[in-house]
Amino acid sequence: AQSVTQLDSHVSVSEGTPVLLRCNYSSSYSPSLFWYVQHPNKGLQLLLKYTSAATLVKGINGFEAEFKKSETSFHLTKPSAHMSDAAEYFCVVSDGSGNQFYFGTGTSLTVIP
Amino acid sequence: GAVVSQHPSWVICKSGTSVKIECRSLDFQATTMFWYRQFPKQSLMLMATSNEGSKATYEQGVEKDKFLINHASLTLSTLTVTSAHPEDSSFYICSALPPSRETQYFGPGTRLLVL
């Protein structure tokens, strides 16, 4: 069985400060992990993904995430927040077969000018 | 690459009418597409898995006669909301799996308002 937990429903940061969005997962298999971003009234855009290659994954818009098997975590980070980063972020886990994808409940990121 | 489109992006209809939403993978073939529903401030709720050339697999609690899914080609899946009622108003999002089946690519969503 697989599941994913996003530990914070809301995160607020000041523009120019670091961003940390937390995600923990459980999986019976070697998981594939994804972060997606959703702006209001839009679909989901893939930020980055981990699929058993390098544990530190770099994505678009300066985001990166590190797969830590010992901690069952896949936290999303960015060194310096930009106003345009304000959005909803979803962590997703799958078994890599494409048959099941499990979504976290989402983290709403607010960036304060 | 990996672009998915949805049409229409917005639709308003009268109660009792049917609405068809199209999901297209524009630059890849997708044997599998997913249909989700999203309520305000909530995560995505999987409604059904659509496989090309076969019947869709519906999640528990989703009425298959209410939400008709057709996946007649490798680039197109359609969701028809039959006899729509105000409680069907929602944001509907599709996603498509390329042949690698590794990553979902999402459409931009369709907002349905039933009056």
Side-chain angles (χ1 to χ4, degrees):
Chain A
Q2 297 174 89
S3 67
V4 60
T5 302
Q6 290 183 243
L7 297 158
D8 307 295
S9 57
H10 291 92
V11 170
S12 284
V13 299
S14 296
E15 189 177 16
T17 64
V19 176
L20 170 64
L21 305 182
R22 297 183 292 167
C23 173
N24 285 92
Y25 71 92
S26 67
S27 177
S28 305
Y29 308 94
S30 295
S32 294
L33 291 153
F34 308 83
W35 275 100
Y36 289 89
V37 60
Q38 184 182 33
H39 288 92
N41 296 309
K42 301 290 185 185
L44 276 67
Q45 180 184 18
L46 180 67
L47 279 178
L48 49 79
K49 63 182 179 182
Y50 166 78
T51 55
S52 77
T55 56
L56 182 62
V57 181
K58 293 188 184 298
I60 62 171
N61 301 335
F63 285 95
E64 63 181 40
E66 186 170 7
F67 173 70
K68 292 187 176 181
K69 187 176 181 179
S70 60
E71 298 176 13
T72 61
S73 69
F74 190 58
H75 300 335
L76 182 70
T77 61
K78 182 173 180 176
S80 175
H82 191 272
M83 294 299 294
S84 60
D85 295 328
E88 191 81 15
Y89 291 79
F90 293 98
C91 182
V92 179
V93 63
S94 84
D95 63 1
S97 70
N99 294 323
Q100 295 281 352
F101 292 84
Y102 296 88
F103 282 74
T105 49
T107 298
S108 177
L109 176 65
T110 299
V111 181
I112 303 166
Chain B
V3 179
V4 177
S5 70
Q6 275 183 249
H7 178 81
S9 55
W10 267 97
V11 57
I12 302 173
C13 69
K14 291 183 179 179
S15 186
T17 61
S18 294
V19 174
K20 181 186 283 189
I21 303 170
E22 293 185 348
C23 178
R24 293 182 185 272
S25 55
L26 298 184
D27 50 4
F28 63 95
Q29 293 184 331
T31 55
T32 299
M33 292 184 174
F34 299 97
W35 285 97
Y36 294 88
R37 185 171 179 178
Q38 187 180 32
F39 292 101
K41 306 291 186 184
Q42 294 190 23
S43 188
L44 279 67
M45 181 188 79
L46 180 64
M47 298 174 66
T49 301
S50 167
N51 292 299
E52 187 266 338
S54 63
K55 290 184 179 180
T57 303
Y58 290 82
E59 295 299 302
Q60 193 172 6
V62 178
E63 299 175 59
K64 60 180 68 175
D65 295 329
K66 173 83 173 165
F67 298 99
L68 299 178
I69 290 172
N70 183 279
H71 193 160
S73 81
L74 287 171
T75 58
L76 173 65
S77 175
T78 60
L79 168 68
T80 301
V81 183
T82 62
S83 187
H85 287 95
E87 57 266 29
D88 299 324
S89 299
S90 193
F91 193 53
Y92 292 88
I93 303 176
C94 73
S95 71
L97 280 184
S100 68
R101 299 185 64 80
E102 188 178 82
T103 304
Q104 287 186 86
Y105 295 95
F106 287 83
T110 296
R111 185 159 299 284
L112 170 64
L113 176 61
V114 185
L115 302 177

